[in-house]
Amino acid sequence: MAFETIIVEVENHVALIRLNRPDALNALNTQLLGELCTALEEADANDKVRCIVITGSEKAFAAGADIREMSQKTFVEVFDENLFADANDRITSIRKPIIAAVSGYALGGGCELAMMCDFIIAADTAKFGQPEINLGVIAGMGGTQRLTRFVGKSKSMDLNLTGRFMDAEEAERAGLVSRVVPAKKLVEEALGAAQKIAEKSLVTAMAAKEAVNRSYELALNEGILFERRVFHSMFATEDQKEGMAAFLEKRAAQFRDK
Ligand code: HXC
């Protein structure tokens, strides 16, 4: 499918999705969110893709939901269309691993989109925030929920109540991002991480993603049980036999996603 607000490239088993509305700092309007969801679903269904990277521009990953598009909507309109529910559900239903490569602003819906990915690699220029309070609204796609789970109540309250931005170093310290790299190296580093994931068994990677995500939904004992059962089930795969045999034979594993 041809897209107007994103650019998609597939190379070496990795789909790189670039948000591309430079004039609006990649603000997430209906078209962009729709195209992003479609691209993610296509990547999820594409046998050539084993990992996905979402990035923006050097200046902005995404500066939030599109304020121009939202500004005149009424309560009944946003309630009736269930604004942002579809994007939240579709993005979090993707089963292949997704890395957010964030440079510049990741604000409001932009920060929330990054948090819906499986992990975040940040450029040293990245700025994260939930500044919706300055617009007379609150976060609407996880900014009060996922952010709180990731960085704790105090910092989440600080960001949601003051609207201040958090730089990459603070975000790494708080546990929001997995690593910080020089801006010029961001996409290279994210593609390198994606490449590493792409070399694993996709079945195993999807199982690992599912298990980590359960930790946000379940009590610890239920999560541990879920993990153990999935761990047990991996012994039904050929990739478990191959992975362990390769270790014992001191050679690289040849996974076949079976
Ligand atoms: C629409 C936006 C936008 C947005 C920036 N632009 N953010 N348009 N929606 N969220 C547009 C500006 O209007 C401007 O267009 C152009 O992008 C460049 O932005 P500037 O403000 O001129 O750039 P700069 O001075 O460098 O400031 C950068 C910025 C600022 C600090 C990121 O743009 C900003 O504060 N943006 C809004 C951030 C925000 O409040 N995000 C939360 C949105 S609400 P023109 O045409 O004037 O050149 C939200 C709700 C989430 O996300 C709900 C769930 C998804």
Side-chain angles (χ1 to χ4, degrees):
M1 179 175 160
F3 299 118
E4 292 174 349
T5 60
I6 59 171
I7 297 165
V8 183
E9 296 162 58
V10 177
E11 210 181 308
N12 294 329
H13 302 292
V14 176
L16 174 63
I17 302 177
R18 286 180 191 273
L19 310 184
N20 188 38
R21 290 188 69 212
D23 295 345
L25 301 184
N26 295 329
L28 307 169
N29 64 2
T30 306
Q31 184 183 4
L32 188 151
L33 281 174
E35 291 186 355
L36 174 62
C37 290
T38 302
L40 286 169
E41 285 160 358
E42 286 180 0
D44 218 22
N46 183 347
D47 287 344
K48 292 198 176 78
V49 174
R50 307 170 68 81
C51 191
I52 301 164
V53 174
I54 303 178
T55 196
S57 67
E58 223 170 288
K59 179 160 185 195
F61 178 72
D66 192 300
I67 300 167
R68 203 173 297 280
E69 194 180 65
M70 283 185 298
S71 64
Q72 295 306 313
K73 287 185 189 278
T74 65
F75 165 75
V76 172
E77 284 167 351
V78 297
F79 180 78
D80 187 48
E81 75 176 88
N82 211 1
L83 188 62
F84 302 127
D86 183 59
N88 179 82
D89 295 350
R90 289 171 71 187
I91 294 166
T92 54
S93 295
I94 301 300
R95 300 185 67 205
K96 290 177 183 168
I98 310 175
I99 302 171
V102 174
S103 179
Y105 297 111
L107 305 176
C111 185
E112 293 169 311
L113 170 61
M115 290 191 290
M116 280 190 274
C117 298
D118 297 315
F119 63 99
I120 302 174
I121 299 179
D124 48 11
T125 57
K127 287 190 165 46
F128 299 87
Q130 299 294 155
E132 288 92 339
I133 196 159
N134 297 329
L135 303 168
V137 292
I138 70 164
M141 209 161 49
T144 68
Q145 302 302 304
R146 288 192 187 96
L147 185 66
T148 308
R149 283 168 163 79
F150 297 165
V151 306
K153 177 186 165 191
S154 193
K155 204 174 276 292
S156 175
M157 281 287 190
D158 181 356
L159 295 173
N160 275 286
L161 292 176
T162 67
R164 81 171 172 89
F165 304 160
M166 164 163 82
D167 66 19
E169 196 190 313
E170 185 181 356
E172 188 185 29
R173 229 183 309 127
L176 179 63
V177 312
S178 70
R179 30 181 141 158
V180 178
V181 300
K184 291 273 177 266
K185 295 242 160 167
L186 175 68
V187 174
E188 184 188 324
E189 182 90 6
L191 289 175
Q195 205 57 61
K196 269 218 155 63
I197 295 168
E199 287 163 12
K200 319 291 182 206
S201 161
L202 182 58
V203 179
T204 316
M206 292 196 305
K209 168 172 175 159
E210 213 165 285
V212 173
N213 280 333
R214 295 309 285 166
S215 73
Y216 286 99
E217 312 292 340
L218 299 176
L220 183 61
N221 60 342
E222 292 298 324
I224 294 285
L225 179 60
F226 179 85
E227 177 193 82
R228 190 182 308 129
R229 291 299 174 236
V230 175
F231 169 71
H232 291 162
S233 74
M234 310 299 334
F235 287 75
T237 67
E238 291 176 18
D239 285 342
Q240 174 267 329
K241 300 288 174 290
E242 167 61 11
M244 294 194 180
F247 175 81
L248 294 172
E249 291 161 19
K250 302 188 188 302
R251 60 173 175 83
Q254 300 290 324
F255 293 121
R256 296 172 56 226
D257 305 334
K258 289 194 169 133

